[in-house]
Amino acid sequence: MLRAGVVAVQGDVSEHADAVRRAAAAHGEECEVVEIRQSGAVSDCDVLLMPGGESTAISRLLRTEGIDEEIRDHVAAGKPVLATCAGLIVAAADAKDDRVDPLSLLDVSVDRNAFGRQRDSFEAFLDVEGLDEPFPAVFIRAPQVDAVGDDVEVLARWDGVPVAVRQGSVVGTSFHPELTTDSRLHDLALFDGVEAEPALND
Amino acid sequence: MPEETDLEDLRRGTDLVKRGFAQMQKGGVIMDVVTPEQARIAEDAGAVAVMALEAVPADIRKRGGVARMPDPAQVEAIIDEVSIPVMGKARIGHHTEAQILEAIGVDMVDESEVLTPADDAYHIDKREFTSPFVCGARNLGEALRRIDEGAAMIRTKGEAGTGDVNQAVHHQRTIKSAIRKLVGMNHEEREAWARKHEAPADLVHETHEMGRLPVVNFAAGGIATPADAALMMHHECDGIFVGSGIFGAEDPERMGEAIVEAVNNWDDPERLADIAAGIGKGMKGESNTGMADEDKLQGRGV
């Protein structure tokens, strides 16, 4: 039984819970999902999801609840993480903003809301390294990755800018793979992209 | 790696993008602010967004007169001050106020009963906009009518500006109770329910299948303390709007921080006791009980 933790202090938590269940089912794995709103639950998790939301609010609550160090330990142990949008900002090495304390899980620098305000938010199909067919990507007040370290692999770009990256066991995306029923990115990030049926019609 | 992604293929303002914005607010606290200074305090306290309006509801109640959208210059100053989303209130049915807010760059428009309605028969046709809208509702029929018009988020109406949470609780219980009934109904019973409650039948069936509203559902109206916010999470709201409760409190910074932490720890009474301890007085408020119907804002725009 796989135990998946969704960091649940704020953001689109239930969407990630549904997506990881779909990805696990596509692998024939049983999956228990736990919502992490307080300290003490991360160390029991095999994989972690860091949802979209507001990075300032999430960062603040991770610190006050003492979950931030536990997430660092999870990554230090080599366990998988998928961090989307605000999750990516919190996972970065540098968010260039003193309102966020990034956790340095990924050696990238991010520019918050670089894609603009909500009126500029969009959906589009995106080619992603490791996926055969384009992925339906939803960008909501999305951040851009503006610098990547040597050990970081860029999995996707939009207009030349990196929007999906991987370093070791951590995958980060500017967009929200949890907002559609296509769980291929959860599969890629958490199950190492082993051949699986995309659950497009779940 | 592939480089041929088609940039022309992008789509803005779709239901997925509008409802997705609201989904990112879940588990968060959205705070009413009048000035950039208040917006800064709200962001530092951990708000997920701020709601710009010309006066907080408690002051609108006291002042009387016609309440309208905020001054665009003030909204722009708030947008410049904070990095979190900025929402703005427009009058019910006031298409043009909503267009102005969208033009300024407001991230979500609240078509709000707190302001004086501009149209006695119609709400704004929200499907025409790129920006998402939030609307108030007291019951499921009202919520589904607003979603049919294009609302991407629903909030309870509560009784704004009173600091009395009982109407928010009443509206949330009413909506949840109606959904539980729908879940047990067959197709023809749901069709009859839709006719009786003047709700679009396709949304009635969708709600039945999902067992919840098809969009994010926040609490609003009369929430004044950390315990009030936690109570609304207990009633299965997705998040909280706080109007006069922050800046009507004795210590807005501490009240803001405490409400944010209370929403995260809503089901842990011991933590709530710590969070609510020694944070100063909440807003004075005014009880709903015995309030004359003509003094209530919640009956506007049904």
Side-chain angles (χ1 to χ4, degrees):
Chain A
M1 169 84 88
L2 180 91
R3 185 184 285 241
V6 184
V7 177
V9 295
Q10 193 271 317
D12 65 335
V13 173
S14 63
E15 291 78 356
H16 270 290
D18 291 344
V20 72
R21 282 193 195 99
R22 277 194 300 271
H27 277 270
E29 282 216 47
E30 280 198 54
C31 175
E32 181 192 3
V33 179
V34 290
E35 294 190 1
I36 297 161
R37 289 187 280 126
Q38 297 179 332
S39 62
V42 174
S43 62
D44 293 333
C45 295
D46 302 305
V47 304
L48 272 190
L49 298 113
M50 297 174 66
E54 284 308 317
S55 56
T56 49
I58 292 171
S59 177
R60 192 174 197 291
L61 285 164
L62 291 180
R63 197 173 58 239
T64 56
E65 298 295 336
I67 302 169
D68 48 357
E69 284 304 322
E70 297 179 352
I71 298 174
R72 285 203 188 94
D73 292 345
H74 174 95
V75 172
K79 295 181 190 174
V81 175
L82 173 60
T84 67
C85 196
L88 167 65
I89 295 168
V90 175
D94 185 2
K96 298 186 294 186
D97 190 331
D98 59 13
R99 291 172 282 211
V100 179
D101 284 334
L103 300 179
S104 282
L105 312 179
L106 283 165
D107 185 16
V108 300
S109 160
V110 294
D111 203 356
R112 293 181 59 210
N113 305 331
F115 278 103
R117 304 194 68 80
Q118 174 58 17
R119 63 185 177 193
D120 307 305
S121 296
F122 63 97
E123 54 175 301
F125 281 95
L126 188 68
D127 291 319
V128 179
E129 190 73 37
L131 302 183
D132 292 339
E133 298 292 326
F135 189 83
V138 187
F139 293 80
I140 294 179
R141 286 173 50 98
Q144 290 182 354
V145 175
D146 58 6
V148 297
D150 293 340
D151 297 330
V152 177
E153 179 189 5
V154 175
L155 299 176
R157 291 176 193 271
W158 177 261
D159 201 10
V161 177
V163 291
V165 293
R166 172 161 59 194
Q167 181 179 16
S169 63
V170 184
V171 170
T173 65
S174 296
F175 52 93
H176 293 282
E178 72 279 13
L179 282 184
T180 70
T181 52
D182 186 332
S183 50
R184 285 178 294 159
L185 248 159
H186 285 73
D187 183 49
L188 184 83
L190 306 175
F191 299 93
D192 215 14
V194 183
E195 288 301 317
E197 308 241 337
L200 280 166
N201 300 314
D202 197 297
Chain B
M1 62 163 283
E3 295 281 355
E4 299 304 313
T5 296
D6 185 1
L7 301 182
E8 299 302 311
D9 194 29
L10 101 180
R11 294 186 297 149
R12 294 196 172 94
T14 61
D15 279 348
L16 185 59
V17 169
K18 290 176 175 177
R19 292 180 181 189
F21 171 80
Q23 286 164 276
M24 297 312 142
Q25 302 288 305
K26 290 196 298 180
V29 181
I30 299 166
M31 302 184 191
D32 275 6
V33 300
V34 173
T35 65
E37 294 72 29
Q38 290 183 348
R40 161 117 321 281
I41 290 168
E43 180 173 46
D44 289 344
V48 289
V50 292
M51 174 70 70
L53 68 176
E54 63 166 353
V56 295
D59 292 338
I60 290 175
R61 263 184 191 285
K62 261 185 246 156
R63 184 193 73 186
V66 176
R68 310 181 179 93
M69 69 174 277
D71 178 350
Q74 192 74 326
V75 179
E76 282 178 357
I78 290 169
I79 287 174
D80 289 344
E81 182 65 30
V82 295
S83 66
I84 55 178
V86 176
M87 304 181 179
K89 280 193 195 291
R91 281 180 266 178
I92 289 173
H94 208 310
H95 183 87
T96 304
E97 283 191 350
Q99 284 182 312
I100 292 169
L101 291 170
E102 179 171 77
I104 297 169
V106 156
D107 296 292
M108 179 174 246
V109 177
D110 183 0
E111 187 179 18
S112 177
E113 72 283 0
V114 170
L115 309 186
T116 309
D119 191 317
D120 62 3
Y122 295 95
H123 280 70
I124 297 168
D125 183 357
K126 295 167 272 289
R127 291 166 298 194
E128 286 183 16
F129 286 76
T130 305
S131 299
F133 279 69
V134 55
C135 287
R138 298 173 304 170
N139 56 54
L140 183 58
E142 203 173 328
L144 296 181
R145 285 195 292 281
R146 298 294 88 77
I147 296 168
D148 189 48
E149 293 157 1
M153 182 181 192
I154 292 294
R155 55 171 177 73
T156 60
K157 281 179 161 172
E159 191 52 51
T162 61
D164 188 346
V165 77
N166 76 55
Q167 290 301 293
V169 169
H170 181 70
H171 299 162
Q172 182 64 11
R173 277 192 181 277
T174 303
I175 289 171
K176 299 300 285 192
S177 164
I179 292 172
R180 280 194 295 274
K181 283 180 195 144
L182 275 190
V183 166
M185 287 183 193
N186 67 20
H187 188 88
E188 61 185 359
E189 288 165 342
R190 298 197 300 271
E191 290 282 327
W193 191 96
R195 285 191 296 276
K196 183 177 172 196
H197 295 271
E198 298 176 13
D202 54 341
L203 286 172
V204 170
H205 297 308
E206 192 180 347
T207 304
H208 158 84
E209 298 220 339
M210 294 176 75
R212 58 155 293 149
L213 280 180
V215 301
V216 168
N217 173 24
F218 267 46
I223 296 154
T225 67
D228 287 350
L231 174 69
M232 297 314 297
M233 296 304 287
H234 164 79
H235 284 301
E236 298 177 56
C237 288
D238 293 315
I240 305 291
F241 283 92
V242 186
S244 323
I246 305 287
F247 292 98
E250 188 179 358
D251 185 339
E253 285 95 341
R254 294 184 72 187
M255 182 60 79
E257 289 171 7
I259 290 178
V260 168
E261 289 178 28
V263 168
N264 186 53
N265 293 289
W266 62 270
D267 53 353
D268 185 337
E270 290 181 10
R271 286 292 304 279
L272 289 173
D274 285 340
I275 289 165
I279 55 170
K281 286 199 182 105
M283 67 180 285
K284 178 165 177 281
E286 170 186 8
S287 169
N288 285 321
T289 316
M291 183 180 272
D293 280 348
E294 60 266 28
D295 293 333
K296 291 185 178 169
L297 305 175
Q298 59 180 280
R300 293 169 165 182
V302 298

